[in-house]
Amino acid sequence: AGGSGADFTYAPFKIIIVGDSGVGKTSLLVRFVEGRYTGTAAPTVSIDISTASLKLGTSTVGLALWDTAGQERFAPLSTPYFRQADGVVVVYDVASRASFTRVASYWIDEIFYKAEPDVSVMLVGAKADTPPESREVSREEAEAFANERGWLYFEASALSGAHVRDAFYLLA
Ligand code: GDP
Ligand code: MG
Protein backbone atom coordinates (compact mmCIF):
# COMPACT_ATOMS: atom_id res chain seq x y z
CA ALA A 1 0.00 0.00 0.00
CA GLY A 2 0.92 3.62 -0.15
CA GLY A 3 2.31 5.81 -2.86
CA SER A 4 0.42 7.98 -5.28
CA GLY A 5 0.40 8.81 -8.94
CA ALA A 6 0.86 5.15 -9.86
CA ASP A 7 -0.23 3.84 -13.24
CA PHE A 8 -3.24 1.82 -12.29
CA THR A 9 -4.58 -0.95 -14.50
CA TYR A 10 -8.06 0.39 -13.74
CA ALA A 11 -9.37 3.70 -12.45
CA PRO A 12 -8.98 3.75 -8.66
CA PHE A 13 -11.85 2.27 -6.69
CA LYS A 14 -13.64 4.54 -4.28
CA ILE A 15 -13.76 2.90 -0.85
CA ILE A 16 -15.60 4.61 1.99
CA ILE A 17 -15.35 3.76 5.65
CA VAL A 18 -18.39 4.04 7.93
CA GLY A 19 -19.37 3.10 11.47
CA ASP A 20 -19.93 4.77 14.81
CA SER A 21 -17.55 7.37 16.16
CA GLY A 22 -14.64 5.87 18.10
CA VAL A 23 -14.82 2.35 16.66
CA GLY A 24 -11.37 2.70 15.09
CA LYS A 25 -12.03 3.68 11.46
CA THR A 26 -9.27 6.25 11.10
CA SER A 27 -6.81 4.00 12.93
CA LEU A 28 -7.44 1.17 10.44
CA LEU A 29 -6.85 3.45 7.47
CA VAL A 30 -3.70 4.95 8.93
CA ARG A 31 -2.39 1.46 9.72
CA PHE A 32 -3.10 0.31 6.17
CA VAL A 33 -1.82 3.36 4.29
CA GLU A 34 1.05 4.45 6.55
CA GLY A 35 1.83 1.22 8.40
CA ARG A 36 1.66 2.82 11.83
CA TYR A 37 -0.71 3.08 14.77
CA THR A 38 -2.02 6.54 15.61
CA GLY A 39 -3.35 5.70 19.05
CA THR A 40 -5.00 8.81 20.40
CA ALA A 41 -3.94 11.16 17.63
CA ALA A 42 -6.10 14.20 16.91
CA PRO A 43 -9.39 13.32 15.26
CA THR A 44 -9.78 13.88 11.55
CA VAL A 45 -10.77 17.45 10.85
CA SER A 46 -12.18 17.14 7.34
CA ILE A 47 -13.03 14.40 4.91
CA ASP A 48 -9.68 12.84 4.24
CA ILE A 49 -8.92 10.82 1.13
CA SER A 50 -5.80 8.69 1.03
CA THR A 51 -4.67 6.54 -1.83
CA ALA A 52 -3.14 3.11 -1.90
CA SER A 53 -1.95 0.98 -4.75
CA LEU A 54 -2.19 -2.79 -4.51
CA LYS A 55 -0.57 -5.44 -6.67
CA LEU A 56 -3.16 -8.08 -7.46
CA GLY A 57 -1.71 -10.62 -9.85
CA THR A 58 -0.61 -8.68 -12.92
CA SER A 59 -2.86 -5.73 -12.12
CA THR A 60 -2.15 -2.65 -10.06
CA VAL A 61 -5.33 -1.65 -8.31
CA GLY A 62 -5.74 1.83 -6.90
CA LEU A 63 -7.89 2.54 -3.90
CA ALA A 64 -9.13 5.99 -2.97
CA LEU A 65 -9.93 5.56 0.72
CA TRP A 66 -12.45 8.05 2.09
CA ASP A 67 -12.48 8.71 5.82
CA THR A 68 -15.03 10.82 7.64
CA ALA A 69 -14.29 14.01 9.51
CA GLY A 70 -15.78 12.50 12.64
CA GLN A 71 -19.10 14.09 11.66
CA GLU A 72 -20.74 10.69 12.18
CA ARG A 73 -20.74 11.68 15.84
CA PHE A 74 -23.07 14.63 15.18
CA ALA A 75 -24.97 14.12 11.95
CA PRO A 76 -25.67 11.66 9.17
CA LEU A 77 -22.92 11.27 6.59
CA SER A 78 -23.72 13.16 3.41
CA THR A 79 -25.04 11.47 0.29
CA PRO A 80 -21.98 12.59 -1.75
CA TYR A 81 -19.81 10.64 0.66
CA PHE A 82 -21.58 7.44 -0.42
CA ARG A 83 -22.11 8.33 -4.09
CA GLN A 84 -20.37 6.03 -6.57
CA ALA A 85 -18.50 4.20 -3.87
CA ASP A 86 -17.27 0.83 -5.16
CA GLY A 87 -16.76 -0.52 -1.67
CA VAL A 88 -17.98 0.21 1.85
CA VAL A 89 -16.05 -0.84 4.92
CA VAL A 90 -18.48 -0.99 7.85
CA VAL A 91 -16.61 -0.94 11.14
CA TYR A 92 -17.71 -1.85 14.65
CA ASP A 93 -15.63 -2.33 17.79
CA VAL A 94 -15.52 -5.94 19.09
CA ALA A 95 -15.49 -4.49 22.62
CA SER A 96 -18.68 -2.51 22.02
CA ARG A 97 -21.98 -4.33 21.67
CA ALA A 98 -23.64 -0.98 20.94
CA SER A 99 -21.40 -0.32 17.94
CA PHE A 100 -22.30 -3.74 16.49
CA THR A 101 -26.03 -3.25 17.11
CA ARG A 102 -25.82 0.04 15.24
CA VAL A 103 -24.68 -1.75 12.10
CA ALA A 104 -28.07 -3.46 11.88
CA SER A 105 -30.16 -0.59 13.23
CA TYR A 106 -28.53 2.29 11.36
CA TRP A 107 -25.58 1.72 9.02
CA ILE A 108 -27.28 -0.93 6.91
CA ASP A 109 -30.03 1.58 5.99
CA GLU A 110 -27.52 4.34 5.30
CA ILE A 111 -25.78 2.04 2.83
CA PHE A 112 -29.10 0.93 1.30
CA TYR A 113 -30.41 4.46 0.75
CA LYS A 114 -27.20 6.33 -0.08
CA ALA A 115 -24.84 3.90 -1.81
CA GLU A 116 -25.08 2.20 -5.20
CA PRO A 117 -27.12 -1.03 -5.18
CA ASP A 118 -24.18 -3.13 -6.34
CA VAL A 119 -21.63 -1.76 -3.87
CA SER A 120 -19.31 -4.32 -2.22
CA VAL A 121 -19.62 -4.31 1.54
CA MET A 122 -17.12 -5.57 4.09
CA LEU A 123 -17.87 -5.76 7.81
CA VAL A 124 -14.80 -5.26 9.98
CA GLY A 125 -14.65 -6.02 13.68
CA ALA A 126 -11.99 -3.56 14.83
CA LYS A 127 -9.76 -3.72 17.93
CA ALA A 128 -9.41 -7.49 17.55
CA ASP A 129 -6.56 -7.27 20.09
CA THR A 130 -9.22 -6.73 22.79
CA PRO A 131 -8.71 -9.24 25.63
CA PRO A 132 -11.41 -11.94 25.85
CA GLU A 133 -12.86 -10.60 29.10
CA SER A 134 -13.58 -7.22 27.46
CA ARG A 135 -14.97 -8.57 24.21
CA GLU A 136 -18.70 -8.01 23.64
CA VAL A 137 -19.18 -9.43 20.12
CA SER A 138 -18.03 -12.89 19.07
CA ARG A 139 -16.45 -13.55 15.72
CA GLU A 140 -19.07 -16.25 15.05
CA GLU A 141 -22.01 -13.91 15.54
CA ALA A 142 -20.57 -11.13 13.40
CA GLU A 143 -19.45 -13.48 10.66
CA ALA A 144 -22.93 -15.05 10.48
CA PHE A 145 -24.47 -11.57 10.31
CA ALA A 146 -22.16 -10.62 7.42
CA ASN A 147 -22.68 -13.91 5.57
CA GLU A 148 -26.47 -13.53 5.70
CA ARG A 149 -26.12 -10.28 3.82
CA GLY A 150 -23.46 -11.42 1.37
CA TRP A 151 -20.89 -9.13 2.98
CA LEU A 152 -17.22 -9.89 3.42
CA TYR A 153 -16.03 -10.15 7.00
CA PHE A 154 -12.76 -9.64 8.86
CA GLU A 155 -11.61 -8.96 12.39
CA ALA A 156 -8.60 -6.66 12.43
CA SER A 157 -6.44 -4.68 14.81
CA ALA A 158 -4.92 -1.32 13.94
CA LEU A 159 -2.89 -1.64 17.14
CA SER A 160 -1.13 -4.90 16.23
CA GLY A 161 -1.73 -4.59 12.50
CA ALA A 162 -3.29 -8.05 12.35
CA HIS A 163 -5.45 -8.65 9.25
CA VAL A 164 -5.57 -5.00 8.22
CA ARG A 165 -3.85 -5.62 4.88
CA ASP A 166 -5.72 -8.91 4.38
CA ALA A 167 -9.04 -7.10 4.75
CA PHE A 168 -8.29 -4.36 2.23
CA TYR A 169 -6.78 -6.82 -0.25
CA LEU A 170 -9.84 -9.04 -0.05
CA LEU A 171 -12.12 -6.09 -0.66
CA ALA A 172 -9.99 -4.92 -3.60
P1 GDP B 1 -12.93 6.53 14.57
O1 GDP B 1 -13.66 7.59 15.31
O2 GDP B 1 -13.86 5.41 14.18
O3 GDP B 1 -12.13 7.05 13.41
O4 GDP B 1 -11.91 5.86 15.60
P2 GDP B 1 -10.34 6.15 15.81
O5 GDP B 1 -9.55 5.49 14.75
O6 GDP B 1 -10.13 7.60 16.01
O7 GDP B 1 -10.07 5.32 17.16
C1 GDP B 1 -10.69 5.69 18.36
C2 GDP B 1 -9.86 5.17 19.51
O8 GDP B 1 -9.94 3.75 19.57
C3 GDP B 1 -8.37 5.47 19.37
O9 GDP B 1 -8.04 6.70 19.94
C4 GDP B 1 -7.71 4.34 20.11
O10 GDP B 1 -7.65 4.66 21.47
C5 GDP B 1 -8.70 3.20 19.96
N1 GDP B 1 -8.28 2.20 18.94
C6 GDP B 1 -8.28 2.35 17.59
N2 GDP B 1 -7.85 1.23 16.98
C7 GDP B 1 -7.57 0.33 17.94
C8 GDP B 1 -7.10 -1.03 17.95
O11 GDP B 1 -6.82 -1.68 16.93
N3 GDP B 1 -6.95 -1.61 19.18
C9 GDP B 1 -7.24 -0.95 20.34
N4 GDP B 1 -7.08 -1.61 21.48
N5 GDP B 1 -7.69 0.33 20.37
C10 GDP B 1 -7.85 0.96 19.20
MG1 MG C 1 -12.08 8.92 12.50
Side-chain angles (χ1 to χ4, degrees), residues 20-27 37 39-40 72 127 129 157-159:
D20 280 6
S21 180
V23 294
K25 302 181 298 296
T26 301
S27 300
Y37 178 61
T40 51
E72 71 276 15
K127 311 189 191 181
D129 55 275
S157 168
L159 174 62

Side-chain angles (χ1 to χ4, degrees), residues 4-15:
S4 59
D7 286 326
F8 301 128
T9 309
Y10 312 101
F13 292 117
K14 174 179 174 179
I15 308 295

Side-chain angles (χ1 to χ4, degrees), residues 3-85:
S4 59
D7 286 326
F8 301 128
T9 309
Y10 312 101
F13 292 117
K14 174 179 174 179
I15 308 295
I16 61 169
I17 188 157
V18 306
D20 280 6
S21 180
V23 294
K25 302 181 298 296
T26 301
S27 300
L28 284 171
L29 287 179
V30 171
R31 165 61 78 181
F32 179 56
V33 175
E34 300 176 18
R36 65 188 177 89
Y37 178 61
T38 49
T40 51
T44 329
V45 289
S46 62
I47 284 183
D48 198 34
I49 303 173
S50 29
T51 57
S53 98
L54 279 55
K55 276 266 181 233
L56 292 178
T58 56
S59 302
T60 301
V61 174
L63 301 183
L65 300 157
W66 292 47
D67 191 14
T68 74
Q71 70 267 41
E72 71 276 15
R73 184 190 298 264
F74 310 107
L77 295 174
S78 69
T79 303
Y81 186 74
F82 288 83
R83 194 172 295 137
Q84 295 187 333

Side-chain angles (χ1 to χ4, degrees), residues 146-159:
N147 286 345
E148 277 170 28
R149 286 158 186 82
W151 295 358
L152 301 168
Y153 175 72
F154 253 101
E155 281 196 355
S157 168
L159 174 62

